[in-house]
Amino acid sequence: MTKSGFVTSAGALSTRILSTAASKGLFPHPLISTCRPAAKVFVLNSRDSANAFIATVNDASSNLKTDISSVGFDVEFWSNKPALVQIAFSPDIVGVFQLQPICGEFLASQNSLDLDSSRFPSALRHLLESQAIAKVGVGIRQDAELLAKHLNVKTENKIDCAMMPIARKIGARSLVSLYHTFVDDSAAFKKVNPVATGFNWGSSDLPIPAIEYAANDALASLLVYQAIESVSLKDMPENSETNNAQNAVKRWEQFKSSRDKERKLFPTSPWGRKKPVISSRLPSGFESRTDDLFSAIPSINKTK
């Protein structure tokens, strides 16, 4: 599908979801801002609202005959238990599902989250367990394992975006590096307060920076996956000299040329302002320099 066709389809779907959700009394958070300014973030904190929202997405998709084949997927944890599930249904629609008020309660005496799997929203369970819809993200295997352990939710059709570029020796691995390699190498994620990674994700009253942090990860995951799928990686040459910086730059330029051509970008695109050195084997100290460079981006400090 061409970029223009995808945008048209996704835009129509998002518009239908927003209008139908509003008719059911479901509205996006008015103060949330993500790496994609146009995106709307819904915060769902009850089983009824979670089921109603996913039903709205399904109905909109069905009415427009627009299949949702993949969703951005991420989970935040508290005391090693799932506390928040984030789903990016499209580049413009993200659902943040708060498991504490939906499935259990926070036990202050034990500083832990007690979850009841029987209260997990049925529509969300169906979505995660569906083989027809890919759940895409970075490092999502552990997310899925803990969802299965604590809530008996068996997440199917998982795709780890970090594994997709390996075949063509593109050395991006973290969500941040993948985002800057495949989506936009000039724009950073929205900056948040550094204490974001210390938020109590089990709380039913999450502050705005925490919600933005969570929504960004799911949204960026979907954007990365769609970007990788849209670029002809098969046309990129194999190169066995993985530590040769000159070859690494050449591979990056070949990739960027293919990416920008398929997306019909103009030479003035901000994507052309930087020329990252991408290699399949990162040189010593590369990760630490990357952490310093992108220290303001939420996903760098993410722990699970």
Side-chain angles (χ1 to χ4, degrees):
M1 182 179 293
T2 64
K3 184 187 178 191
S4 59
F6 171 76
V7 170
T8 301
S9 174
L13 176 63
S14 299
T15 299
R16 178 65 66 89
I17 291 173
L18 289 171
S19 62
T20 305
S23 70
K24 297 181 179 181
L26 300 172
F27 301 94
H29 197 296
L31 302 178
I32 300 300
S33 178
T34 66
C35 57
R36 181 176 170 86
K40 304 299 182 183
V41 179
F42 290 78
V43 180
L44 295 313
N45 56 16
S46 73
R47 185 163 52 174
D48 288 343
S49 64
N51 286 330
F53 180 71
I54 294 178
T56 296
V57 174
N58 290 338
D59 290 345
S61 174
S62 177
N63 290 337
L64 292 174
K65 295 181 173 56
T66 303
D67 292 335
I68 296 179
S69 59
S70 59
V71 296
F73 170 64
D74 192 56
V75 183
E76 303 299 339
F77 297 86
W78 183 256
S79 297
N80 293 320
K81 295 181 180 180
L84 212 66
V85 172
Q86 305 98 263
I87 302 290
F89 295 90
S90 80
D92 295 323
I93 301 292
V94 182
V96 175
F97 301 85
Q98 295 184 275
L99 300 184
Q100 185 270 333
I102 296 176
C103 300
E105 60 182 350
F106 178 70
L107 303 178
S109 61
Q110 301 178 26
N111 195 36
S112 64
L113 193 68
D114 187 32
L115 299 173
D116 180 356
S117 62
S118 68
R119 295 167 60 182
F120 195 86
S122 58
L124 181 57
R125 179 185 296 275
H126 179 77
L127 169 68
L128 294 176
E129 295 184 344
S130 171
Q131 284 280 4
I133 301 176
K135 271 63 70 174
V136 304
V138 172
I140 61 177
R141 181 187 296 272
Q142 184 182 16
D143 291 355
E145 289 176 349
L146 291 175
L147 277 177
K149 176 181 178 180
H150 295 289
L151 288 162
N152 195 30
V153 176
K154 298 176 177 59
T155 307
E156 299 289 351
N157 196 358
K158 304 177 292 293
I159 298 178
D160 192 329
C161 295
M163 304 302 293
M164 297 176 72
I166 290 179
R168 292 297 160 183
K169 295 180 169 59
I170 299 176
R173 296 293 181 269
S174 70
L175 180 56
V176 173
S177 61
L178 287 165
Y179 182 84
H180 283 86
T181 299
F182 291 100
V183 181
D184 193 337
D185 57 16
S186 66
F189 287 20
K190 178 180 173 60
K191 295 181 179 180
V192 300
N193 191 308
V195 302
T197 54
F199 283 134
N200 170 10
W201 296 110
S203 172
S204 59
D205 186 23
L206 287 174
I208 290 175
I211 298 172
E212 291 177 341
Y213 174 103
N216 262 333
D217 279 353
L219 181 56
S221 294
L222 180 62
L223 293 174
V224 165
Y225 174 75
Q226 292 178 339
I228 293 175
E229 286 287 281
S230 72
V231 174
S232 300
L233 293 182
K234 64 180 182 297
D235 295 332
M236 294 184 62
E238 294 282 359
N239 193 315
S240 59
E241 300 179 71
T242 58
N243 287 321
N244 187 307
Q246 184 176 0
N247 285 327
V249 172
K250 183 178 180 181
R251 286 200 303 278
W252 166 255
E253 293 294 345
Q254 289 171 331
F255 162 73
K256 187 161 70 70
S257 175
S258 175
R259 176 194 67 183
D260 293 357
K261 180 178 180 181
E262 292 198 19
R263 295 182 177 201
K264 298 180 175 60
L265 295 178
F266 297 98
T268 54
S269 166
W271 284 9
R273 296 174 185 169
K274 297 182 181 180
K275 297 181 179 179
V277 175
I278 304 298
S279 66
S280 62
R281 183 186 301 175
L282 300 180
S284 175
F286 180 87
E287 288 292 352
S288 62
R289 294 200 300 274
T290 302
D291 289 349
D292 291 338
L293 181 61
F294 298 129
S295 60
I297 303 176
S299 296
I300 279 293
N301 299 314
K302 181 178 178 180
T303 58
K304 294 191 175 180

